[in-house]
């Protein structure tokens, strides 16, 4: 019996591999507006009512796509158990189909429908940080299609705390696969307007729940192996993981560019992400020298006829006489930096600057997630002064 089952599993996977090639082409061919996207505004997020979400839940159950707010960033949702819904997600985002999706659930009972086992580390982290900005990788059950997991035998699962997200998943009655609701490669959306910019006309519905709270995507931890591994830093920090688990390993893809021959554990880490249209340089070092360097480079670039954007903080905003300033937040309160990060990158796209210089942040606590996103946005173009 086991032999027969694994035989079918192989056919399944081979079928997926074959389809993948065609799908990638399709995703890039789909351009322009093709359908009417309904936009539903939630009046009071904390007191969201079922009536406001019933239609969206039905769209999800019927295989359609709904973008919705979570506490991290907006997600583009589809039924995680429906392979055609997963294919539609890849097409709408223009995302390569080997980059797997996160399945979102609303309670612990729903987890056992998706995963073969819940390792001890997974139980502990769920008890400590779910619902919340944490995704865990588990061995998948057969009913989770390879279209959702990008061909992997594991599945990423998250239980969001946002009241709109949580209630929508519960009403839908199915686990909801949801990558960030941006066009592949663009900064993640932290407001409904960002989702409209990227996906209007390509999906069935957008739920506008205002600005999200955290602003960077969830922490991802692989608990499917013998030692838990951090695959993407987020608001559940390394320090918070270690408090619960003791030793946690860190995937090398977090801190540097991934070479072409390495397949990182989170396939998404290999793609250029969050890329603003302008060339971005991240400047790292003692604050006074950073400011001096950015001012000198800004002067030179402007003399060469370029428009320059500067990413500064509340603390340094008075020290840049030239360039277009965007205040990303306050160093005193790093959560404000995470909160504004993607919106600032999108603003510079709108203003069409030629180059961007950004200050850097410490790499501990939430700073690890902030620096991970800024480094990727800059294509790892980092100057140490
Ligand atoms: O905060 C978030 O996680 C948001 C909201 C909407 O929940 N979602 C999100 O999804 O950021 P996305 O698709 O943009 O990022 C998912 C990441 C990718 O880097 C992907 O490679 C990784 O999760 N991932 C998904 N399934 C995986 C698996 N089975 N093994 C390893 N990595 C996986
Ligand atoms: Mg994303």
């Amino acid at each position: 019996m086991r032999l027969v089952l694994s035989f079918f599993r192989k056919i399944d996977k081979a079928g997926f591999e074959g389809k993948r090639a065609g799908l990638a082409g399709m995703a890039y061919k789909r351009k322009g507006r093709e359908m009417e996207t309904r936009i539903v505004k939630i009046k009071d997020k904390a007191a969201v009512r079922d009536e406001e979400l019933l239609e969206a839940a039905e769209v999800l159950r019927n295989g359609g796509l709904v973008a919705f707010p979570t506490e991290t960033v907006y997600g583009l949702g589809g039924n995680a158990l429906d392979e055609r819904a997963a294919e539609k997600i890849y097409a709408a985002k223009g995302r390569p189909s080997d980059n797997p999706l996160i399945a979102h659930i609303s309670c612990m009972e729903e987890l056992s429908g998706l995963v073969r086992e819940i390792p001890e580390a997974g139980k502990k982290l769920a008890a400590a940080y779910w619902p919340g900005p944490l995704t865990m990788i588990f061995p998948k059950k057969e009913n989770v299609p390879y279209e959702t997991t990008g061909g992997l035998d594991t599945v990423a699962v998250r239980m969001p705390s946002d009241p709109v997200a949580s209630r929508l998943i519960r009403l839908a009655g199915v686990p909801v696969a949801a990558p960030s609701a941006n066009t592949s490669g663009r900064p993640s959306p932290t407001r409904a307007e960002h989702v409209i910019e990227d996906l209007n006309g390509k999906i069935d519905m957008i739920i506008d729940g205002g600005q999200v709270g955290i602003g960077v995507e969830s922490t991802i931890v692989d608990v499917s192996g013998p030692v838990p591994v951090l695959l993407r830093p987020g608001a559940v920090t390394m320090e918070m993981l270690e408090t619960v688990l003791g030793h946690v390993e860190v995937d090398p893809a977090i801190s540097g560019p991934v070479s072409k021959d390495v397949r990182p554990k989170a396939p998404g880490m290999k793609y250029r992400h969050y890329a603003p249209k302008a060339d971005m340089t991240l400047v790292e070092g003692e604050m006074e020298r950073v400011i001096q360097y950015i001012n000198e480079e800004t002067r030179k670039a402007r003399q060469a006829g370029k428009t320059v954007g500067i990413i500064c903080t509340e603390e340094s905003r008075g020290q840049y006489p030239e360039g277009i300033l965007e205040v990303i937040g306050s160093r005193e309160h790093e959560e404000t930096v995470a909160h504004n990060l993607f919106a600032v990158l999108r603003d510079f796209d709108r203003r069409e600057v030629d180059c961007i210089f950004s200050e850097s942040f410490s790499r501990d606590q939430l700073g690890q997630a902030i620096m991970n996103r800024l480094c990727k946005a800059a294509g790892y173009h980092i100057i140490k002064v």
Side-chain angles (χ1 to χ4, degrees):
M1 184 63 190
R2 271 186 74 179
L3 238 176
V4 173
L5 270 180
S6 65
F7 177 71
F8 275 112
R9 277 256 298 282
K10 280 211 184 86
I11 288 189
D12 216 347
K13 199 160 179 170
F16 166 77
E17 297 288 347
K19 252 194 315 191
R20 176 192 279 170
L23 201 70
M26 186 175 95
Y28 293 108
K29 265 183 239 143
R30 270 182 65 122
K31 279 211 178 98
R33 303 184 52 169
E34 288 163 16
M35 59 164 87
E36 184 76 32
T37 300
R38 290 238 306 120
I39 299 170
V40 176
K41 202 167 170 63
I42 302 297
K43 288 197 191 74
D44 176 4
K45 200 154 123 162
V48 60
R49 290 173 295 115
D50 284 358
E51 302 88 85
E52 295 176 279
L53 298 173
L54 281 174
E55 199 184 330
E58 201 182 327
V59 171
L60 288 172
R61 256 196 315 280
N62 292 336
L65 302 189
V66 177
F68 60 96
T70 82
E71 69 275 28
T72 56
V73 298
Y74 272 77
L76 171 57
N79 179 354
L81 301 179
D82 176 353
E83 57 188 62
R84 274 160 314 181
E87 287 172 0
K88 282 190 203 167
I89 291 177
Y90 291 117
K93 277 182 66 88
R95 171 170 172 153
S97 58
D98 68 345
N99 190 358
L101 309 174
I102 297 173
H104 293 66
I105 56 174
S106 68
C107 62
M108 271 317 261
E109 289 68 49
E110 291 166 9
L111 180 62
S112 41
L114 296 170
V115 309
R116 256 186 292 130
E117 53 162 329
I118 308 174
E120 207 46 44
K123 284 184 193 145
K124 286 186 186 160
L125 286 181
Y129 302 120
W130 271 3
L134 173 71
T135 297
M136 287 188 269
I137 311 293
F138 298 95
K140 84 171 187 76
K141 266 196 176 157
E142 301 242 340
N143 60 323
V144 182
Y146 283 117
E147 282 74 8
T148 297
T149 68
L152 298 174
D153 287 309
T154 51
V155 58
V157 187
R158 171 159 114 80
M159 190 194 294
S161 63
D162 181 282
V164 173
S166 172
R167 187 160 291 218
L168 175 63
I169 299 162
R170 191 145 47 82
L171 289 173
V174 292
V176 177
S180 47
N182 51 292
T183 300
S184 189
R186 288 213 72 202
S188 291
T190 53
R191 297 178 194 157
E193 293 75 35
H194 299 162
V195 182
I196 295 169
E197 239 169 61
D198 285 10
L199 298 177
N200 196 20
K202 297 182 178 170
I203 61 177
D204 298 285
M205 201 181 262
I206 297 171
I207 298 179
D208 179 351
Q211 259 190 61
V212 302
I214 294 170
V216 291
E217 307 88 340
S218 62
T219 305
I220 304 181
V221 182
D222 186 353
V223 294
S224 69
V227 183
V229 186
L230 176 68
L231 304 186
R232 179 174 74 183
V236 172
T237 63
M238 189 65 181
E239 291 80 357
M240 289 162 74
L241 297 173
E242 283 172 340
T243 307
V244 173
L245 298 179
H247 180 60
V248 177
E249 275 177 15
V250 178
D251 191 59
I254 284 177
S255 37
V258 182
S259 89
K260 284 212 175 65
D261 15 289
V262 178
R263 185 176 162 87
K265 290 219 179 75
M269 299 298 271
K270 76 171 179 258
Y271 296 105
R272 181 153 189 234
H273 262 60
Y274 324 122
K277 292 174 191 154
D279 287 333
M280 179 164 156
T281 306
L282 196 54
V283 189
E284 213 172 4
E286 201 257 313
M287 257 341 280
E288 238 169 78
R289 282 214 295 274
V290 168
I291 292 168
Q292 193 190 351
Y293 178 87
I294 293 179
N295 278 329
E296 279 167 15
E297 291 304 308
T298 301
R299 199 169 314 125
K300 279 190 230 159
R302 278 167 50 90
Q303 271 164 9
K306 289 186 178 161
T307 316
V308 182
I310 298 173
I311 298 180
C312 65
T313 55
E314 287 295 350
E315 290 82 358
S316 66
R317 65 189 305 166
Q319 304 194 52
Y320 297 99
E322 293 181 73
I324 300 171
L325 292 193
E326 285 273 4
V327 177
I328 196 170
S330 152
R331 285 183 187 278
E332 284 267 306
H333 304 283
E334 262 189 352
E335 67 281 2
T336 59
V337 177
H339 181 78
N340 298 322
L341 197 152
F342 289 129
V344 163
L345 294 178
R346 278 184 184 254
D347 271 353
F348 276 135
D349 277 354
R350 207 170 30 80
R351 292 170 177 226
E352 299 191 336
V353 297
D354 300 307
C355 52
I356 302 170
F357 293 100
S358 174
E359 295 179 9
S360 298
F361 297 85
S362 73
R363 289 177 192 253
D364 61 351
Q365 314 253 12
L366 187 56
Q368 190 182 19
I370 292 169
M371 283 301 281
N372 171 263
R373 305 314 190 271
L374 286 176
C375 285
K376 287 176 110 185
Y380 293 96
H381 185 215
I382 304 164
I383 302 280
K384 299 214 180 334
V385 292

